[in-house]
Amino acid sequence: MAETNRTATLNIDGKSYDLPIFSPTVGPDVIDIRKLYSDADVFTYDPGFTSTAACESAITFIDGDKGQLLYRGYPIEQLAEKSHFLEVCYLLLNGSLPTAAQMDNFEGRVTRHTMVHEQMHYFFRGFRRDSHPMATMVGVVGAMSAFYHDSLDINDPWQREVAAIRMIAKLPTIAAMAYKYSIGQPFVYPQNDLDYASNFLRMCFAVPAEDYKVSPVLAKAMDRIMMLHADHEQNASTSTVRLAGSSGANPFACVAAGIACLWGPAHGGANQACLEMLREIGTVERIPEYIARAKDKNDPFRLMGFGHRVYKNFDPRAKVMKESADEVLDLLGIHDNETLRVAKELERIALEDDYFVSKKLYPNVDFYSGIILEAMGFPTAMFTPIFALSRTVGWISQWKEMIGDPALKIGRPRQLYIGEAARDYTPVESR
Ligand code: SDX
């Protein structure tokens, strides 16, 4: 961050405090309040962190007003069109696009880490078959730290690198295993001659009785979905991973914490909730009823897949996803998809309605993703696990950036205490 010669002056009870202002490469300036409590004996108050920069990072930049998303400076639209997921993984982890040789080496390392320890198969048997795959993933990913002891030392850069490769490589295998377990089919092992997205699709849809021929178009659509979900600045699950990592917890435990946070319907769980909402609406004719509910303050219903803490313009990922939805459905010969029709009409009506326009509520990444994933054959319960396996590279890149920072301190927010002041214990007979 660039120090400026500017300061913000805070006046409290007649006393002035000068707080340094720092400037980023792009985006809002920040006011450095690190000494505020020790100097002025006050906290700042920002539940939900709407105005708080929790760290400095060089990985992803979002301009919510412009609807801009950059991975290491590259616009998501260009990457979605010209790159592929493993190249984006290299970019997020290392900060620059790989040469051909670097890409070959990286891809080779990831490919040879896609299998999980055979003992991990037994973990799944402890879960009910109808467990949500996210429950299984939280458990199994956390358990990885019980197996991969040679990549737990966070102070060893080489072990950090191996942990990152292992997570990127094994999350699709674990997600596919969670799916297979939930439908009572045997696990399918990864195949080294397949690309990353094709491998995942085959592990999900192949069966011993017959192999699964991966459609190149579906593999490309899957790869693009993974790229669009790879990272997104300091969102709730990434902040969870950073906070867990700040205590020195091992990377597998930190990513398991990120998966748990992502599961919530306000965050990564919205893709499942959105498709279920579109199905519940059912027809274009019923859209006005749900728009009214979303606007009714007395109704907790919200349009899932709409709105965003940062984007106050179109989520650029939603635009790419919408194009992908048309392509995939066309390829699959699904032309009269009522769910897509409802989604497009809902988007059109909402974007003409003053409530959504005034609150700058636009479709987000979760609005169209479910339509594509459902068309590919995934049940709604697999939507968030796919988000999680895609976001793993973002989590581990942000974790790696944080752990590599010599100024790292454990995250420990304070509070605005509104409970009782000190008082004496009273015996039960006098209460
Ligand atoms: C993701 O952070 C990230 O980057 C996340 C993510 C990533 O890649 O990591 O982008 C992925 O999580 C996308 C968001 C998925 N969630 C949903 O689609 C769930 C539905 N959306 C909302 O619940 C909401 O929009 C949030 C949670 C996404 C954002 O909430 P904020 O920023 O806290 O905004 P808010 O709740 O304060 O809402 C502001 C106003 C409120 O009205 P008022 O109280 O001001 O009158 O807008 C209203 C809200 O009621 N509002 C909605 C709405 N979202 C906000 N009203 C109807 N439908 C909605 N979807």
Side-chain angles (χ1 to χ4, degrees):
M1 79 192 134
E3 303 219 355
T4 68
N5 55 7
R6 294 155 50 221
T7 58
T9 303
L10 192 59
N11 288 295
I12 304 175
D13 301 335
K15 201 168 173 204
S16 292
Y17 302 89
D18 287 338
L19 304 170
I21 292 177
F22 296 131
S23 286
T25 312
V26 278
D29 286 346
V30 300
I31 298 173
D32 181 355
I33 59 166
R34 282 175 289 184
K35 293 199 171 66
L36 183 61
Y37 178 51
S38 57
D39 291 354
D41 196 30
V42 294
F43 296 146
T44 58
Y45 180 62
D46 185 16
F49 311 117
T50 47
S51 302
T52 295
C55 64
E56 64 178 14
S57 177
I59 299 174
T60 294
F61 175 73
I62 303 170
D63 183 321
D65 294 327
K66 290 185 197 156
Q68 182 185 48
L69 170 58
L70 308 177
Y71 287 168
R72 298 286 189 176
Y74 295 99
I76 190 65
E77 297 86 347
Q78 292 184 29
L79 293 169
E81 188 193 335
K82 299 172 181 164
S83 186
H84 57 89
F85 180 67
L86 274 189
E87 185 176 70
V88 165
C89 289
Y90 185 97
L91 173 66
L92 290 170
L93 277 169
N94 300 297
S96 54
L97 288 169
T99 62
Q102 287 168 332
M103 191 64 238
D104 282 350
N105 173 274
F106 183 73
E107 188 149 16
R109 293 174 67 201
V110 170
T111 300
R112 283 167 186 77
H113 275 285
T114 49
M115 287 175 69
V116 295
H117 191 294
E118 198 67 4
Q119 287 284 114
M120 292 188 83
H121 289 211
Y122 300 117
F123 271 121
F124 290 86
R125 285 173 178 61
F127 290 93
R128 289 169 43 140
R129 289 280 181 176
D130 61 354
S131 304
H132 194 292
M134 285 295 275
T136 324
M137 283 182 73
V138 170
V140 175
V141 172
M144 288 173 82
S145 44
F147 286 84
Y148 302 109
H149 297 127
D150 59 346
S151 56
L152 293 181
D153 179 358
I154 63 167
N155 299 308
D156 176 348
W158 174 246
Q159 292 198 36
R160 294 204 294 262
E161 169 83 9
V162 171
I165 295 283
R166 276 185 165 138
M167 247 152 342
I168 293 166
K170 298 179 194 299
L171 258 288
T173 308
I174 291 169
M177 291 169 82
Y179 172 53
K180 284 304 205 185
Y181 185 74
S182 73
I183 57 175
Q185 289 184 0
F187 299 140
V188 175
Y189 285 86
Q191 219 166 290
N192 287 359
D193 60 352
L194 292 176
D195 64 73
Y196 192 88
S198 299
N199 224 344
F200 174 62
L201 289 171
R202 184 180 169 279
M203 287 189 284
C204 289
F205 297 126
V207 290
E210 65 180 78
D211 208 349
Y212 171 78
K213 186 103 184 67
V214 182
S215 145
V217 176
L218 291 192
K220 184 170 183 299
M222 187 79 250
D223 190 271
R224 186 181 295 162
I225 286 173
M226 292 171 170
M227 279 195 276
L228 294 175
H229 287 84
D231 193 47
H232 214 238
E233 197 205 75
Q234 305 311 319
N235 58 83
S237 53
T238 298
S239 301
T240 300
V241 170
R242 278 182 172 260
L243 199 53
S246 73
S247 76
N250 73 72
F252 304 106
C254 295
V255 168
I259 295 172
C261 176
L262 185 76
W263 195 359
H267 190 13
N271 52 20
Q272 173 174 347
C274 179
L275 195 94
E276 288 164 354
M277 173 193 75
L278 293 171
R279 279 201 197 127
E280 185 189 330
I281 295 174
T283 63
V284 167
E285 291 69 30
R286 293 187 67 200
I287 290 174
E289 171 196 337
Y290 283 83
I291 295 269
R293 283 188 58 195
K295 292 158 65 173
D296 178 356
K297 282 287 157 243
N298 300 317
D299 188 332
F301 173 78
R302 286 193 165 184
L303 284 187
M304 302 316 283
F306 253 80
H308 199 277
R309 170 63 58 76
V310 177
Y311 289 121
K312 301 308 171 193
N313 193 323
F314 252 93
D315 180 333
R317 302 168 297 176
K319 281 185 182 173
V320 178
M321 206 71 86
K322 185 176 176 181
E323 287 154 21
S324 250
D326 287 329
E327 269 173 41
V328 168
L329 293 176
D330 194 39
L331 167 92
L332 296 172
I334 302 172
H335 300 301
D336 57 347
N337 184 295
E338 186 63 15
T339 310
L340 182 60
R341 200 181 355 268
V342 169
K344 287 186 172 177
E345 183 60 7
L346 176 60
E347 176 189 351
R348 186 190 67 76
I349 296 173
L351 296 186
E352 289 175 356
D353 184 297
D354 184 52
Y355 173 90
F356 295 92
V357 172
S358 63
K359 292 179 187 301
K360 299 183 177 180
L361 301 174
Y362 291 87
N364 58 48
V365 68
D366 296 309
F367 190 65
Y368 284 103
S369 55
I371 292 168
I372 303 174
L373 294 172
E374 183 187 53
M376 287 180 171
F378 289 104
T380 52
M382 276 302 290
F383 293 1
T384 311
I386 290 168
F387 192 154
L389 76 86
S390 308
R391 183 55 58 86
T392 294
V393 63
W395 290 330
I396 206 72
S397 300
Q398 299 266 352
W399 171 82
K400 212 177 142 214
E401 179 181 68
M402 175 187 72
I403 295 295
D405 177 355
L408 171 63
K409 294 168 75 72
I410 188 169
R412 205 291 186 201
R414 301 302 303 273
Q415 62 180 5
L416 169 63
Y417 178 65
I418 55 170
E420 297 287 343
R423 54 181 171 165
D424 294 328
Y425 182 83
T426 50
V428 65
E429 51 276 7
S430 59
R431 288 176 205 155

